[in-house]
Each structure stands twice: as structure tokens, then as C-alpha cells.
Amino acid sequence: MASLSVSRHSHLLSGFLPARPKPISGPTRVRMSLRDDGPAIAVVGVTGAVGQEFLSVLSDRNFPYRSIKMLASQRSAGRRIIFEDRDYVVEELTADSFDGVDIALFSAGGSISKKFGPAAVDRGTVVVDNSSAFRMDEKVPLVIPEVNPEAMQHIKAGTGKGALIANPNCSTIICLMAATPLHRRAKVLRMVVSTYQAASGAGAAAMESSKLQIREVLEGKPPTCKIFNRQYAFNLFSHNAPVLSNGYNEEEMKMVKETRKIWNDKDVKVTATCIRVPVMRAHAESVNLQFENPLDEDTARDILKNAPGVVVIDDRESNSFPTPLEVSNKDDVAVGRIRQDLSQDGNQGLDIFICGDQIRKGAALNAIQIAEMLL
């Protein structure tokens, strides 16, 4: 009998995820992912929130591979992971881990990427990196497949020629999935973004901390404030990224710089305010757009309805618009509150509201889509 529930996801046998459930009866399902003509892949940071989501998305999308290495820190080495009904042992990450690896998916933090990313490239591996380490390197493509696939068209896996490709910041990805189709039609001159960012952006420990704080506050106990050093439950605060000398924090400046690079437009004006809110895994963003050419809200709505990876939820009569809960564990970015900006003359401006799963399209899914383009 096939184990239907387990084949879709991976499970750490020692760690924060549940043990493998017992197989259940059901129709036999032949998986096409493990195959001799697929690339050899490695997942770096496999025990983290995004690393686990890498595995989930690989399985969901039947990504072909002939072998897969599970890599993490020395602390996590030796753990067992069941992925697509096969047992794997987590290996300690070293420079030699990439011998014979065609594609490596990195999500272990910037310092790890800087140390091991170039080592992997030297061994002929194409690295898709989820950290900020290489995003603004002019030699490294910064890619959202629905937005600027041409930036990486010269890179292919399995050629023996290594390369780095950077995954943009989660807030940038979610924003540009909706803003880019409108930008292509009317050219965005200025974009003002306010983000409402989930705990998942700070990792699995922040998600667990959020749940713990909620329980503690509801029980009348003082919250344990280890991750953000302040109460997160039933509260919101300015994003925890360091604040720079210009008054913006690093998260906000990522959106400014990454948008210009991805759109290949150094003149587009972008400003952002990033806020951390007590939501588990999906970000929300309020976006105001100023255009060079007129764009009315009905045309904009039609453009977004036909945009890949975007779903429109925009029902004024029932006051139904995107929410983080609705997009959690979903691939598509949801857009609503599409309306003309009354502060701008004519049809030169729009306001929109966007929600997207931070772990999925904001990180793992985008990286796997990049990997698919390497095949």
C-alpha cells in the first residue's frame, strides 16, 4: 500500500516536527521525482522552516532528482528525515558536501551562504541562495521567475559550470508579484509600501515563540520574550531589522534596492515601512503606486486576474479581500482593495493590498521555480 500522506512532505524524526505517521490505505501513487536523468541536489539548512518547506515544494511539484543531500550544521547532523518514503540522515555541511551536486538550495543564513556558496560554485554547483548575502552583487542574478526570468537565462545545471542565483527578500517577492504586471502596462514611477510581516520571516524559533507567548498571555503569565525581546502576542512593532543612519531599517532598504535591481530601473522611487505583526506565516502589504501612464482600476483588475501566480480577491459588496490566513500554505499571491488613488489626478495612481505566504512564495517556492528553470 502507498503511504499517501507522507509522500507529500518530510518529517524530522528528532526535532520540532512530528514523527512519521503510519501508512494508510489508498490507491498506489507512482512518484516521478526520483529518476536517473534528474539533477543531483542538496538542501542546505534542511532542518529550518524554509529548509523543510524546500522539501515540501520539491515533492508537491514532482521536481526530478537522481539524489538529494540533506545538509545542516554540526548540531543537526545525524538527525533522520523521511522524504518521499525514503530515510535520509542529515549530514554536516562542509565544502566537500557539494562534490557531484548540480543544484544546491541554500537557506541557512547569510554567513553560511558567504562561506559555502562560493565553495559550491567552485565545484560546478548552481547555488540558489535564499539569504541576502549575494542579492546586491551585480554579477549575481536576483530572480523572481514570473518577473525577470531573463536575468538567469545564461545559467543551466549539469554543465559543470557553477553559478550563484539569489532569491529576493520575501517582502520584495510578494510585492512585485502584483506590482510588476501593472508596472509593465503603465510604468511605476513611485511605490509606497507598508508591510505587515509574519513570525515565519524570523524563522521556526520565532513561530514557536509566538505560539508560546499567546498561551502565556491568555493564561495571565508574563510572556517569554527571547526572539524579539518584547511581547509579540497581541502586539505589533517596527520590524526587528537593524535601523540604519538614514532612519530606514535593513528590511525596508532591501525592498528599495531589490526592486530597482529586479526591474532594472535605478530611477524608480520606492519607500517602505516594515512592521512585524502576530501572524504565523503569511505577509500582508499595502502598496500605493504612481504611474507614468494612466491606468484605471478596472483595467488593473483585469491585468492582475491574468497575471501568473496571482489571484484576485476583491469583493467590495461582501467586504471580502485578501487575508494572511487565506494564503497560508498556498502558492499564489492574493491581491485586493484595488482602487484609484484619489490623491492623484486622473488615473495616475492605484492602491492595492497584497497577501502571500512568506515561507512558500516568499522563499521556498520561488527558489524551486528558479531551480526548475535550470533544468
Side-chain angles (χ1 to χ4, degrees):
M1 295 293 182
S3 177
L4 301 180
S5 60
V6 180
S7 65
R8 309 303 298 169
H9 303 285
S10 66
H11 295 280
L12 287 166
L13 296 192
S14 58
F16 54 82
L17 294 180
R20 182 186 187 186
K22 294 180 180 179
I24 59 173
S25 298
T28 300
R29 186 172 188 273
V30 179
R31 297 210 58 81
M32 299 302 293
S33 303
L34 186 61
R35 46 195 253 192
D36 291 341
D37 61 346
I41 63 177
V43 177
V44 178
V46 70
T47 57
V50 175
Q52 286 288 289
E53 199 71 18
F54 278 151
L55 298 183
S56 179
V57 177
L58 287 168
S59 183
D60 288 345
R61 295 176 72 87
N62 286 336
F63 188 92
Y65 61 92
R66 70 174 181 273
S67 64
I68 182 168
K69 284 186 177 182
M70 309 292 185
L71 302 174
S73 67
Q74 184 181 31
R75 184 180 65 253
S76 297
R79 290 188 183 187
R80 290 176 55 221
I81 290 179
I82 293 177
F83 175 61
E84 296 195 340
D85 297 323
R86 291 175 178 264
D87 289 347
Y88 295 88
V89 176
V90 176
E91 302 174 37
E92 181 181 356
L93 174 64
T94 70
D96 294 332
S97 298
F98 303 101
D99 289 339
V101 171
D102 298 310
I103 301 171
L105 305 168
F106 272 65
S107 190
S111 60
I112 295 296
S113 293
K114 288 177 182 178
K115 180 177 180 180
F116 292 103
V121 171
D122 288 343
R123 285 163 169 77
T125 303
V126 179
V127 172
V128 183
D129 181 43
N130 193 53
S131 80
S132 62
F134 306 105
R135 288 175 186 158
M136 298 315 299
D137 186 325
E138 62 181 18
K139 300 186 294 295
V140 176
L142 182 66
V143 178
I144 304 171
E146 296 90 343
V147 174
N148 64 330
E150 68 282 353
M152 56 168 288
Q153 63 184 1
H154 59 291
I155 303 174
K156 291 295 179 183
T159 64
K161 185 177 180 181
L164 283 164
I165 302 172
N167 218 28
N169 182 50
C170 50
S171 297
T172 305
I173 294 173
I174 291 166
C175 177
L176 296 192
M177 283 293 293
T180 299
L182 307 179
H183 175 58
R184 288 172 177 156
R185 173 64 67 90
K187 186 173 174 55
V188 172
L189 297 177
R190 184 170 186 260
M191 181 165 67
V192 182
V193 185
S194 296
T195 72
Y196 312 93
Q197 298 186 218
S200 57
M207 297 170 75
E208 291 302 312
S209 176
S210 175
K211 290 188 283 187
L212 173 63
Q213 281 198 17
I214 289 170
R215 289 195 298 268
E216 289 173 333
V217 171
L218 289 176
E219 292 170 0
K221 301 175 182 178
T224 302
C225 303
K226 290 183 178 180
I227 304 300
F228 299 116
N229 297 318
R230 67 186 74 196
Q231 182 172 327
Y232 189 34
F234 308 104
N235 192 21
L236 56 84
F237 48 85
S238 181
H239 193 281
N240 48 292
V243 178
L244 307 173
S245 60
N246 63 1
Y248 286 75
N249 63 43
E250 289 183 355
E251 186 80 359
E252 293 157 351
M253 289 308 301
K254 286 176 186 177
M255 297 197 72
V256 174
K257 295 176 181 179
E258 291 178 20
T259 297
R260 291 173 177 165
K261 180 173 179 177
I262 292 166
W263 279 357
N264 192 28
D265 184 353
K266 62 179 177 21
D267 296 321
V268 65
K269 299 181 186 301
V270 180
T271 185
T273 301
C274 295
I275 303 297
R276 190 72 78 182
V277 297
V279 172
M280 194 55 64
R281 59 174 289 154
H283 289 353
E285 304 185 23
S286 172
V287 181
N288 175 266
L289 300 164
Q290 179 183 348
F291 301 107
E292 180 176 85
N293 304 306
L295 180 63
D296 65 82
E297 64 182 48
D298 291 332
T299 302
R301 195 174 288 105
D302 288 340
I303 290 170
L304 291 168
K305 284 179 179 178
N306 290 288
V310 174
V311 60
V312 173
I313 304 174
D314 197 45
D315 188 342
R316 296 177 182 177
E317 185 175 346
S318 65
N319 200 9
S320 178
F321 304 105
T323 68
L325 193 60
E326 286 176 294
V327 300
S328 293
N329 296 293
K330 303 287 179 58
D331 288 349
D332 290 340
V333 169
V335 188
R337 298 302 315 278
I338 304 163
R339 62 200 188 278
Q340 223 70 52
D341 176 1
L342 298 179
S343 72
Q344 299 188 51
D345 294 334
N347 291 325
Q348 303 297 132
L350 285 173
D351 287 298
I352 60 176
F353 186 69
I354 312 166
C355 289
D357 188 301
Q358 181 274 327
I359 309 179
R360 206 156 175 94
K361 182 54 186 174
L365 173 61
N366 198 78
I368 303 305
Q369 288 175 308
I370 290 172
E372 289 171 343
M373 293 170 60
L374 296 170
L375 302 179

